[in-house]
Amino acid sequence: MVSGREKAYEFLKNTVLADPATQGGFISEQEIAERVGISRTPVREALLRLAAEELVQLVPKRGAYIAPITGKDLHDLMEMRGLLERFAAEKTLADDTVPLLAMRAALEKQARLDSGETAQFIELDTQFHTLLVEAAGNPILAKTYQTLRARQVRAGMVAMLRSGDRQKTVLAEHQAILDAFESGDVAATLAAIDDHLGTTLAIQLTS
């Protein structure tokens, strides 16, 4: 059975923090408790956990503050994603464990979404990349990548809001990654990943 603290943690991390509109604001413990259907105590415990992960800041007498994502945050996130995803690409190609079918299925689901289904699109985007990292067969690598999820979703939402046709270009970039994997060309695969992450970062940094 999932505890109230875990329910609050997952809701805060995957729903509240993933919404760019919450940046620069404080979290209401009472509101979260009512939305999740639990008491305030597990919400407070979840916020302490998120603060330890540096996803919120606890301000005395004010509560939990969601700091806006800075340009440096975005640079650092993409740099870490690049390191992990490039390694996973090289490893899966060398071991012949590239999850092409699963990644293609995620891409096909993305392609069927309407332009307004941004949250679902970002969720599938995260799934597309996570499948690759997990296929490298390194649990520590996969766990490290998973810790980036909340930041990755927030950053993805920012990119969507700043580019009206971002869904269309993401589909093309994901297809380019799959095409490179299918060719077995390591250099082309790494270049496709770099292009995708670089384009995403450039859009996120657009004011």
Side-chain angles (χ1 to χ4, degrees):
M1 183 176 179
V2 180
S3 67
R5 179 175 58 183
E6 193 63 29
K7 288 180 180 178
Y9 174 80
E10 291 298 328
F11 179 77
L12 285 163
K13 187 173 183 178
N14 299 325
T15 301
V16 177
L17 295 181
D19 183 358
T22 64
Q23 294 186 50
F26 283 85
I27 294 173
S28 167
E29 291 183 7
Q30 184 60 42
E31 180 182 345
I32 299 303
E34 292 174 356
R35 292 177 68 180
V36 179
I38 55 178
S39 68
R40 292 179 62 174
T41 298
V43 175
R44 193 172 299 116
E45 293 172 344
L47 288 171
L48 287 171
R49 181 176 171 185
L50 291 168
E53 296 174 6
E54 299 183 350
L55 291 174
V56 300
Q57 300 171 7
L58 298 183
V59 181
K61 299 181 180 180
R62 293 293 305 277
Y65 176 69
I66 306 175
I69 300 177
T70 66
K72 186 177 187 308
D73 292 335
L74 294 169
H75 273 290
D76 291 347
L77 173 62
M78 285 304 174
E79 186 173 62
M80 178 58 74
R81 282 189 59 188
L83 288 170
L84 300 179
E85 292 183 30
R86 284 171 62 91
F87 174 84
E90 291 182 302
K91 185 73 162 50
T92 55
L93 281 169
D95 296 344
D96 194 24
T97 58
V98 179
L100 281 173
L101 290 177
M103 291 175 72
R104 188 179 296 114
L107 178 57
E108 290 173 351
K109 289 178 182 178
Q110 277 189 301
R112 290 196 292 269
L113 293 174
D114 294 328
S115 58
E117 298 177 288
T118 306
Q120 298 94 317
F121 190 89
I122 293 297
E123 181 62 34
L124 287 167
D125 181 89
T126 303
Q127 181 183 334
F128 179 89
H129 293 277
T130 300
L131 285 166
L132 169 61
V133 173
E134 291 180 343
N138 185 324
I140 297 176
L141 178 76
K143 186 174 182 180
T144 300
Y145 193 80
Q146 183 62 28
T147 64
L148 303 177
R149 186 185 184 284
R151 293 179 176 87
Q152 188 172 337
V153 171
R154 287 180 72 191
M157 292 293 286
V158 169
M160 289 295 173
L161 291 173
R162 292 182 177 174
S163 175
D165 65 346
R166 186 55 186 152
Q167 286 192 202
K168 181 179 179 180
T169 56
V170 165
L171 295 175
E173 290 162 18
H174 279 187
Q175 186 60 57
I177 291 172
L178 288 179
D179 290 343
F181 269 123
E182 290 177 334
S183 74
D185 188 325
V186 176
T189 301
L190 298 182
I193 291 172
D194 288 345
D195 177 69
H196 175 50
L197 298 182
T199 299
T200 301
L201 178 59
I203 293 172
Q204 290 167 348
L205 294 175
T206 302
S207 58

